[in-house]
Amino acid sequence: DSGKSSVAIQSMKAALEQGCGVIYAETENKTTEKDLKAWGVDPTQVIIVSSQIAEELYELLFTTWDSYHSVFPDKPLLVIVDSIGNLISLRDEEIDLMEQNSQPGGKGKANRLGISKMISKMSQSRTAVLLISYTYENMGSVGKTTAGGQALHFYSSLMYQTQRKAWLERTKNGEIIRVGAKVLFTLMKNHLNKADPGAKKI
């Protein structure tokens, strides 16, 4: 509840207003046409693919991406994956927990391959990609970990974090109701600069 899907929908709206196509790869089965309409997005103008299985989602996404560019070869496209951290892998279903508990999970590998292919496809077409994910606290140590694997950090050119700081509440008819949230927005440039290496926080 830090506004991740709201950022995704606002991005859709901005893309459509600029004449771009939009493919929305949804993994949570919670964003509805009603949500899109509430932000002023026409759901009929958005191509939606949906799955929680990483391999299946990427297959659907790339097939749709290719189909879009075969019909609209020169039209810019925005691809949104919301949320990449929620994907599960078919490979994880087959892991023997006793024998392979120290091996990296299938989700991280599938996401790395999926993101690598997105980068390749972006370079061949007028496409921007927005990957939505979430972070969680490291158990037993300081800091947070991004769900979905390290590929997000490695490949992202910009990382835009939202962090809910507090709920906004009002009293109506003697009852406290939630009306919003205080959210901290942080934008970080992620690619290295030889003169000044490291992540840039704006």
Side-chain angles (χ1 to χ4, degrees):
D1 291 323
S2 64
K4 298 186 302 298
S5 294
S6 297
V7 167
I9 297 171
Q10 286 176 297
S11 301
M12 284 181 214
K13 184 178 181 184
L16 291 170
E17 287 172 350
Q18 295 174 64
C20 302
V22 175
I23 298 175
Y24 183 47
E26 210 267 350
T27 68
E28 298 180 338
N29 293 316
K30 72 172 192 177
T31 305
T32 65
E33 288 189 2
K34 184 179 176 183
D35 297 317
L36 301 186
K37 288 176 182 174
W39 285 95
V41 173
D42 180 355
T44 66
Q45 299 301 305
V46 177
I47 304 167
I48 300 174
V49 297
S50 183
S51 178
Q52 286 187 300
I53 308 296
E55 293 84 352
E56 183 177 80
L57 184 86
Y58 290 124
E59 180 85 21
L60 289 167
L61 174 58
F62 294 132
T63 300
T64 306
W65 189 331
D66 290 340
S67 297
Y68 176 87
H69 278 304
S70 70
V71 177
F72 306 106
D74 300 319
K75 189 172 179 180
L77 174 67
L78 173 65
V79 171
I80 301 171
V81 181
D82 179 18
S83 150
I84 200 166
N86 280 348
L87 289 170
I88 56 175
S89 172
L90 292 173
R91 179 182 173 275
D92 289 339
E93 184 182 18
E94 299 164 0
I95 285 179
D96 182 325
L97 295 178
M98 296 299 289
E99 293 181 13
Q100 298 173 292
N101 64 343
S102 62
Q103 293 187 15
K107 175 172 79 171
K109 287 186 175 182
N111 284 341
R112 180 176 51 79
L113 293 171
I115 293 170
S116 295
K117 188 166 180 176
M118 284 186 218
I119 299 291
S120 173
K121 292 177 77 60
M122 283 173 63
S123 68
Q124 300 166 19
S125 61
R126 298 178 64 197
T127 304
V129 174
L130 174 61
L131 302 173
I132 307 285
S133 191
Y134 59 90
T135 59
Y136 54 91
E137 300 288 342
N138 289 329
M139 293 182 71
S141 62
V142 179
K144 295 180 183 252
T145 298
T146 301
Q150 292 301 313
L152 284 171
H153 291 281
F154 184 77
Y155 287 110
S156 297
S157 55
L158 287 172
M159 295 189 73
Y160 180 56
Q161 292 181 344
T162 63
Q163 182 181 5
R164 178 171 46 83
K165 305 301 276 183
W167 290 114
L168 297 176
E169 299 175 328
R170 282 196 194 130
T171 303
K172 185 175 181 181
N173 300 330
E175 186 179 337
I176 296 175
I177 58 170
R178 189 174 291 165
V179 293
K182 283 187 178 180
V183 177
L184 173 68
F185 294 89
T186 307
L187 180 66
M188 292 172 285
K189 187 174 184 298
N190 203 35
H191 279 188
L192 293 179
N193 177 338
K194 290 179 183 176
D196 184 19
K200 305 299 181 292
K201 206 174 257 200
I202 302 168

